[in-house]
């Protein structure tokens, strides 16, 4: 079951030739989400081949480099004869402003656009297999990040043991794996725990958007398979990061380290590093021993299951 992350916009407030404004596209087995939608997101979607079939948009805050791509995307979806609703999740108290933005060009969208505020700690979207919830971040306005976390998966099925216990090959294997006791060929009852191992964790993806390093992020990102964290500046500009309510690469690395994250992706790179962003990556790697990435626009990351190598 795939979980793919495409970095559409990895730049800061001012876009550069190399980096567009903030946008991250997530495709979880056909469920397609945008985390923020800055100016230029449509072009990056075309360049990256993600397509425009977005089910939901998760907005972190209302600064222009995170939302100004929404009106254009809505218009393009209308031109493409979309009829399905588009749901936009946002921090509490920002929904009226987002509605104004969607209608900024003076006419109603050609399909329903639902603006749904969600508070930190609440679930924005939930299915039988995963949930997306908000958590509080610290920026210069009302802001929040999002966690996409999958439910635990059934443990590994021990087929040789099931056969040894007399379970016939076929549908009863699946019933056991789903937690149902079955009858063996000799009439005895085989319980799931006899042939199914302990539950296995699903995957966890965390997106902070613009933020100062916070304990709430450490808690939200605990054991994350991928943490996408603000890393606007290198460590020699820590004062500037603090003044503008952003994070440095080292601070992002420290958060990932404390959260025991598997991988860290550094985004929202200031335009002052257009020629060379390597100091941000260097600082982060000094604070975090896990895999540390500074993705370019268009980069795609496949998020594997924690036990993929078992």
């Amino acid at each position: 079951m795939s979980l793919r992350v495409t970095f559409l916009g990895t730049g800061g407030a001012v876009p550069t030739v190399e980096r567009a404004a903030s946008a991250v596209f997530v495709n979880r087995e056909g469920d397609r989400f945008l985390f923020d939608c800055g100016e230029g997101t449509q072009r990056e979607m075309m360049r990256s081949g993600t397509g425009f079939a977005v089910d939901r948009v998760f907005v972190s805050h209302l600064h222009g480099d995170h939302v100004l791509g929404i009106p254009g995307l809505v218009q393009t979806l209308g031109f493409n004869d979309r009829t399905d609703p588009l749901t936009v999740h946002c921090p509490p108290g920002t929904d009226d402003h987002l509605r104004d933005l969607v209608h900024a060009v003076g006419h109603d969208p050609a399909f329903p656009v639902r603006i749904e505020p969600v508070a930190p700690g609440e679930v924005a979207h939930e299915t039988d297999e995963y949930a997306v919830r908000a958590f509080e971040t610290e920026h210069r306005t009302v802001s929040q990040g999002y966690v996409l976390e999958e439910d635990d998966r059934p443990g590994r099925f021990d087929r040789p043991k099931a056969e040894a216990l007399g379970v016939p090959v076929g549908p009863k294997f699946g019933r056991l794996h789903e937690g149902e006791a079955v009858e063996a060929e000799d009439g005895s009852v085989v319980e799931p725990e006899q042939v199914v191992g302990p539950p296995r964790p699903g995957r966890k993806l965390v997106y902070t958007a613009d933020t100062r390093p916070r304990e709430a992020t450490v808690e939200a990102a605990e054991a994350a398979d991928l943490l996408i964290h603000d890393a606007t500046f290198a460590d020699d500009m820590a004062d500037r990061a603090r003044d503008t309510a952003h994070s440095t690469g080292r601070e992002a690395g420290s958060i990932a380290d404390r959260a025991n994250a598997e991988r860290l992706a550094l985004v929202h790179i200031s335009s002052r590093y257009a020629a060379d962003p390597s100091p941000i990556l260097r600082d982060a790697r000094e604070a975090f021993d896990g895999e540390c990435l500074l993705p370019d626009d268009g980069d795609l990351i496949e998020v594997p299951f924690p036990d993929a190598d078992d």
Side-chain angles (χ1 to χ4, degrees):
M1 185 170 291
S2 62
L3 178 59
R4 297 187 176 94
V5 179
T6 303
F7 295 89
L8 300 176
T10 60
V14 179
T16 67
V17 172
E18 294 82 11
R19 299 184 185 276
S22 295
V24 174
F25 184 90
V26 174
N27 186 336
R28 186 202 177 273
E29 199 65 18
D31 293 347
R32 298 173 174 88
F33 307 135
L34 263 181
F35 290 87
D36 285 331
C37 184
E39 179 185 358
T41 295
Q42 293 183 80
R43 292 200 65 185
E44 297 304 322
M45 294 171 88
M46 288 185 281
R47 288 172 172 168
S48 302
T50 62
F52 293 130
V54 176
D55 301 306
R56 295 172 184 268
V57 180
F58 296 89
V59 171
S60 64
H61 64 290
L62 293 194
H63 284 167
D65 57 317
H66 293 257
V67 297
L68 288 181
I70 292 176
L73 177 61
V74 168
Q75 181 170 280
T76 295
L77 294 175
F79 287 155
N80 288 342
D81 298 323
R82 179 178 178 128
T83 58
D84 292 337
L86 174 68
T87 302
V88 181
H89 302 278
C90 61
T94 66
D95 45 316
D96 285 343
H97 296 296
L98 271 174
R99 288 188 186 93
D100 291 342
L101 183 64
V102 168
H103 294 83
V105 293
H107 61 78
D108 293 334
F111 56 93
V113 178
R114 300 168 178 166
I115 311 296
E116 297 185 356
V118 55
E122 293 181 351
V123 173
H125 175 57
E126 188 171 21
T127 74
D128 292 338
E129 298 178 334
Y130 66 91
V132 182
R133 68 179 185 277
F135 67 95
E136 188 176 2
T137 56
E138 180 185 346
H139 196 41
R140 291 176 294 171
T141 186
V142 178
S143 65
Q144 60 193 29
Y146 295 94
V147 179
L148 189 162
E149 187 167 15
E150 296 177 330
D151 297 339
D152 285 345
R153 297 168 293 145
R156 295 191 183 281
F157 181 72
D158 190 336
R159 174 170 176 157
K161 186 171 183 180
E163 291 179 350
L165 290 170
V167 180
V169 176
K172 289 185 177 181
F173 279 11
R175 289 162 56 190
L176 277 167
H177 204 195
E178 293 171 0
E180 180 183 343
V182 302
E183 187 176 299
E185 291 176 332
D186 62 2
S188 63
V189 175
V190 177
E191 299 290 342
E193 54 266 27
Q194 294 179 261
V195 294
V196 179
R200 296 172 292 164
R203 293 162 294 192
K204 186 174 183 179
L205 167 68
V206 180
Y207 173 73
T208 71
D210 301 5
T211 187
R212 291 293 297 148
R214 296 203 64 207
E215 190 66 32
T217 304
V218 175
E219 295 172 2
E222 175 64 33
D225 297 282
L226 177 62
L227 169 60
I228 304 170
H229 199 288
D230 176 357
T232 305
F233 300 104
D235 201 50
D236 60 356
M237 297 199 69
D239 290 344
R240 176 68 174 165
R242 185 166 48 253
D243 291 344
T244 57
H246 286 291
S247 297
T248 67
R250 188 181 303 278
E251 288 171 331
S254 177
I255 292 292
D257 181 69
R258 294 174 57 205
N260 296 311
E262 186 70 22
R263 283 195 285 183
L264 169 65
L266 307 166
V267 296
H268 204 266
I269 307 304
S270 169
S271 59
R272 71 184 64 238
Y273 301 98
D276 181 18
S278 63
I280 295 175
L281 181 61
R282 179 199 62 218
D283 292 344
R285 285 176 169 167
E286 289 177 357
F288 178 54
D289 291 335
E291 186 178 359
C292 193
L293 311 167
L294 201 161
D296 294 321
D297 286 10
D299 282 359
L300 184 151
I301 293 177
E302 180 81 37
V303 182
F305 285 106
D307 58 352
D309 296 329
D310 293 352

